[in-house]
Amino acid sequence: MVSALGLDLGARRIGVAGCDRTGLIATGLTTLYKTSFESIIKPLEALIQERSVEVLVVGLPYTMDGEIGFQAKKIQKFAHRLSKVLELPVEFVDERLTSFQAEQMLLAERHSLANCKELIDRKAAAIILQQWLDERRLRL
């Protein structure tokens, strides 16, 4: 299988998820605070090395009409920059409603959403990566 990192790219925070060696299950790993582009490179490099990551999987916020809007173009630009610096390919997954799904999962687990922004970001990254893993399995 493949080792991948799932990324939920936000303006201030980046949710990061990884998958097990079998490529079956995605799990939220951490939330990075983005003060600058450079501020996230070292922690991502450490995760990439530690987990032998081969690909970045980034959630792309399509519009509800399925179009690539302004925000999605910003994410693509940022992801391609990450891909170049980290020397890894990037693949995109439709992330519409992943944050909402993550919030619903946390509510089902009886978490308060008041102070859970980081957990929501990690869960959203895990949902993005899980979706990619599931789609990939269906193609093989």
Side-chain angles (χ1 to χ4, degrees):
M1 286 310 286
V2 67
S3 182
L5 274 188
L7 303 175
D8 181 31
L9 300 177
R12 290 183 216 85
R13 291 180 313 276
I14 297 174
V16 182
C19 57
D20 64 342
R21 290 281 173 222
T22 65
L24 294 174
I25 300 170
T27 307
L29 299 175
T30 189
T31 301
L32 303 176
Y33 282 89
K34 183 172 70 171
T35 55
S36 67
F37 181 79
E38 293 74 23
S39 70
I40 61 166
I41 297 302
K42 288 252 188 268
L44 285 175
E45 285 175 333
L47 282 168
I48 288 164
Q49 186 173 14
E50 173 187 321
R51 302 179 71 83
S52 302
V53 172
E54 302 167 62
V55 63
L56 302 174
V57 179
V58 175
L60 197 60
Y62 288 91
T63 66
M64 286 311 218
D65 297 337
E67 303 293 320
I68 294 178
F70 175 76
Q71 189 62 27
K73 288 178 183 173
K74 272 179 58 175
I75 296 292
Q76 282 179 321
K77 184 178 177 182
F78 190 84
H80 286 299
R81 190 173 170 203
L82 275 178
S83 172
K84 186 175 180 182
V85 169
L86 298 171
E87 298 177 352
L88 286 173
V90 64
E91 294 193 26
F92 295 97
V93 171
D94 182 353
E95 74 157 17
R96 281 180 286 185
L97 303 177
T98 55
S99 291
F100 176 75
Q101 285 177 298
E103 289 174 4
Q104 294 305 304
M105 290 169 77
L106 289 172
L107 287 172
E109 295 168 4
R110 300 193 186 280
H111 285 278
S112 165
L113 297 181
N115 297 314
C116 285
K117 297 234 183 267
E118 293 138 356
L119 189 52
I120 292 168
D121 294 334
R122 282 194 301 274
K123 283 238 187 234
I127 292 167
I128 289 163
L129 182 55
Q130 189 66 56
Q131 185 178 327
W132 181 81
L133 291 168
D134 293 346
E135 289 171 4
R136 189 172 186 278
R137 254 192 326 279
L138 291 175
R139 288 188 304 239
L140 295 178

